[in-house]
């Protein structure tokens, strides 16, 4: 008899952003007149930059002519894109990463959830708390996390590394037995916190000393505005020996609807004597047919001089929203952080409300949607995330409503 993968039954409820979407739909059905402003899921609102649109049009035309038509993309991505990424994102920052070490995909979410497949199910995982739910959920599906403790809001076999106001929302090195796989995301989703280079170097040294692998999500690196914050883990010495990095075009260049990302696996990176590059290449070749040619050409356009300038303006637009949210809430008496090197603002809920109580209250009184901190893990309780990815007009209106009605 066929049996289902009952690891899935250990997942509590729905994916966080599906739950939020459902709640908002229900609210709107009950209140059709409500003008709801969405600052929940980190989805961009600005149109694609002209340079990207130009590249898309050109690539579409190529697909319409026999001489330039493209079928399946190369397994690991087109060389024209991998070369640009290696040069602009890595070598220009002094990181020793070659085009062959870059795997093109349709986004960081898929890669950071699938990467666990190339590791033993016996490996232990450590995550920041709060954390982007995909890291934990994908390991639950694989059967690596043990049972869910409802009272604690946590899985038995996962090492949760609290990120609190006391430690600047950046985790301490684990005490006791070292975990095998360590998920880090900086600039951080959801808190918007960053880790300075010397601190990240400590993690790299720790992983190398203990034979652990760091799974480093750098999806938000383009939002870094301050010095001394690494854009890539490969800026740290020895990171080639212990780290895999994920990047996304979604937040950098507005590709949430186009889909493009990549993963970097150094050719010599090993887990217990086994090279990981061939394993991920094998997985890619077997389970994936590559990001579309036209999208990879659009990705290439991000690296032209005009593309880079246009993207920079777009990021500045969102970061101005971040400033509006941060300053607006702070002057209204909220305890806020993030928003300086990341498009997320992390706020403490007033009057010790739970995160979901604040969600409901914000939706019903101000018609503003955000993301409850507890949805990201137990240490996110009594916190709340707002995204800077809305339009400027809506961001200003949302903050005015929060100040007036909450
Ligand atoms: C978020 O809101 O945390 C992200 O947009 C979700 C994602 O990138 O998958």
């Amino acid at each position: 008899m066929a049996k289902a993968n009952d690891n899935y039954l250990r997942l509590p409820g729905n994916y966080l952003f599906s739950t939020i979407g459902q709640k908002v739909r229900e609210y709107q059905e009950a209140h059709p007149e409500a003008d709801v402003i969405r600052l929940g899921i980190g989805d961009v609102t600005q149109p694609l930059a002209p340079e990207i649109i130009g590249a898309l049009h050109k690539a579409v035309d190529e697909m319409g002519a026999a001489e330039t038509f493209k079928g399946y993309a190369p397994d690991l991505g087109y060389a024209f894109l991998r070369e640009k990424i290696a040069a602009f994102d890595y070598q220009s920052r002094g990181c020793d990463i070659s085009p062959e070490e870059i795997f093109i995909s349709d986004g960081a979410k898929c890669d950071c959830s699938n990467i666990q497949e190339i590791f033993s199910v016996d490996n232990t995982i450590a995550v920041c708390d709060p954390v982007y739910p995909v890291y934990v959920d994908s390991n639950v599906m694989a059967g690596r996390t043990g049972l869910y403790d409802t009272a604690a809001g946590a899985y038995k076999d996962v090492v949760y590394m609290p990120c609190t106001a006391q430690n600047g929302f950046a985790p301490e090195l684990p005490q006791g037995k070292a975990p095998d796989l360590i998920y880090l995301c900086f600039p951080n989703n959801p808190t918007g916190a960053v880790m300075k280079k010397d601190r990240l170097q400590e993690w790299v040294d720790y992983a190398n000393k203990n034979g652990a692998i760091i799974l480093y999500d750098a999806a938000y690196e383009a939002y870094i505005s301050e010095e001394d914050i690494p854009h890539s883990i490969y800026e740290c010495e020895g990171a080639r020996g212990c780290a895999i990095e994920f990047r996304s075009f979604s937040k950098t260049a507005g590709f949430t609807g186009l889909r493009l990302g990549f993963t970097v696996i150094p050719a010599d990176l090993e887990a217990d004597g086994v090279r990981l590059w061939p394993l991920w290449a094998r997985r890619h070749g077997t389970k994936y047919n590559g990001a579309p040619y036209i999208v990879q050409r659009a990705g290439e356009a991000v690296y032209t001089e005009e593309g880079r300038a246009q993207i920079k303006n777009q990021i500045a637009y969102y970061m101005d929203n971040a400033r509006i949210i941060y300053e607006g809430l702070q002057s209204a008496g909220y305890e806020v952080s993030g928003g300086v090197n990341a498009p997320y603002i992390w706020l403490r809920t007033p009057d010790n409300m739970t995160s979901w109580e604040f969600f409901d209250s914000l939706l019903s009184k101000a018609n503003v949607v955000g993301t409850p901190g507890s949805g990201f893990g137990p240490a996110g309780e009594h916190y709340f995330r707002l995204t800077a990815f809305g339009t400027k007009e809506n961001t200003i209106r949302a903050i005015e409503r929060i100040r007036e009605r909450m």
Side-chain angles (χ1 to χ4, degrees):
M1 194 203 299
K3 286 194 175 159
N5 176 354
D6 56 9
N7 293 323
Y8 277 65
L9 305 180
R10 295 181 177 179
L11 292 163
N14 290 323
Y15 181 56
L16 174 62
F17 294 105
S18 312
T19 305
I20 292 171
Q22 181 60 28
K23 271 182 162 271
V24 175
R25 273 192 299 280
E26 283 165 12
Y27 181 82
Q28 286 211 290
E29 270 162 32
H31 305 87
E33 74 297 341
D35 169 22
V36 173
I37 299 177
R38 291 160 199 268
L39 302 182
I41 190 164
D43 195 4
V44 294
T45 50
Q46 291 302 292
L48 291 166
E51 184 74 358
I52 295 167
I53 293 295
L56 280 169
H57 281 301
K58 186 160 173 275
V60 167
D61 288 342
E62 284 180 63
M63 294 299 267
E67 313 76 59
T68 46
F69 170 78
K70 300 282 186 302
Y72 289 125
D75 271 4
L76 309 185
Y78 282 100
F80 62 74
L81 180 57
R82 298 168 85 198
E83 282 163 10
K84 293 284 184 324
I85 291 169
F88 284 94
D89 288 327
Y90 292 101
Q91 291 156 8
S92 73
R93 293 190 180 279
C95 303
D96 173 23
I97 295 296
S98 71
E100 294 69 37
E101 294 173 319
I102 290 159
F103 296 75
I104 306 297
S105 73
D106 59 0
K109 180 180 184 175
C110 316
D111 284 358
C112 62
S113 62
N114 289 326
I115 196 73
Q116 46 76 29
E117 279 187 28
I118 64 168
F119 294 97
S120 161
V121 280
D122 298 333
N123 279 168
T124 51
I125 68 158
V127 294
C128 292
D129 176 17
V131 66
Y132 179 44
V134 168
Y135 314 145
V136 176
D137 287 2
S138 56
N139 278 286
V140 176
M141 293 167 181
R144 205 177 272 112
T145 53
L147 292 176
Y148 187 67
D149 176 344
T150 314
Y155 288 90
K156 200 170 95 358
D157 297 341
V158 173
V159 177
Y160 290 86
M161 306 182 289
C163 297
T164 60
Q166 286 70 40
N167 60 20
F169 300 103
E172 318 289 347
L173 293 173
Q175 302 295 315
K177 191 175 177 314
D180 302 310
L181 304 175
I182 301 167
Y183 287 84
L184 294 178
C185 170
F186 287 97
N188 187 259
N189 179 13
T191 64
V194 283
M195 215 189 249
K196 289 211 165 153
K197 188 160 170 201
D198 52 354
R199 193 108 185 252
L200 187 58
Q201 183 66 56
E202 288 173 17
W203 280 91
V204 168
D205 295 344
Y206 171 88
N208 275 324
K209 184 166 152 235
N210 292 289
I213 299 284
I214 297 176
L215 302 168
Y216 194 73
D217 185 348
Y220 298 94
E221 64 77 33
Y223 290 82
I224 294 172
S225 66
E226 293 180 326
E227 296 294 315
D228 204 26
I229 314 274
H231 287 246
S232 163
I233 194 165
Y234 302 113
E235 289 176 42
C236 294
E237 215 172 300
R240 283 184 60 91
C242 67
I244 291 175
E245 181 165 291
F246 308 97
R247 292 273 189 106
S248 166
F249 285 73
S250 290
K251 316 299 157 85
T252 306
F255 277 46
T256 53
L258 264 191
R259 309 306 311 149
L260 191 65
F262 60 90
T263 289
V264 182
I265 305 191
D268 42 358
L269 178 64
E270 293 182 353
D272 196 19
V274 178
R275 281 180 61 226
L276 295 169
W277 190 101
L279 269 53
W280 189 241
R282 184 69 169 84
R283 186 202 178 275
H284 233 56
T286 305
K287 294 195 170 185
Y288 185 57
N289 262 333
Y293 172 71
I294 58 174
V295 178
Q296 295 197 46
R297 279 292 183 203
E300 184 190 25
V302 168
Y303 297 96
T304 63
E305 205 179 322
E306 296 79 1
R308 290 205 310 277
Q310 291 165 5
I311 297 305
K312 205 169 153 205
N313 284 341
Q314 222 166 55
I315 289 170
Y317 173 94
Y318 291 130
M319 288 312 280
D320 199 40
N321 288 348
R323 182 192 58 75
I324 290 165
I325 300 173
Y326 188 104
E327 290 176 2
L329 293 181
Q330 194 179 46
S331 65
Y334 286 85
E335 191 182 314
V336 276
S337 60
V340 175
N341 295 291
Y344 295 124
I345 287 83
W346 190 239
L347 59 116
R348 174 106 196 152
T349 57
D351 307 323
N352 215 29
M353 287 167 102
T354 68
S355 303
W356 280 106
E357 281 167 357
F358 188 71
F359 174 91
D360 290 333
S361 168
L362 192 65
L363 181 56
S364 60
K365 288 191 198 154
N367 294 162
V368 172
V369 182
T371 309
S374 57
F376 296 102
E381 184 56 284
H382 302 295
Y383 281 90
F384 202 76
R385 191 193 79 174
L386 291 174
T387 151
F389 287 122
T391 62
K392 174 138 306 151
E393 187 202 11
N394 276 347
T395 303
I396 292 170
R397 288 167 62 227
I399 296 305
E400 275 167 11
R401 288 191 201 169
I402 294 174
R403 290 171 60 96
E404 284 161 16
R405 303 187 199 170
M406 296 297 291

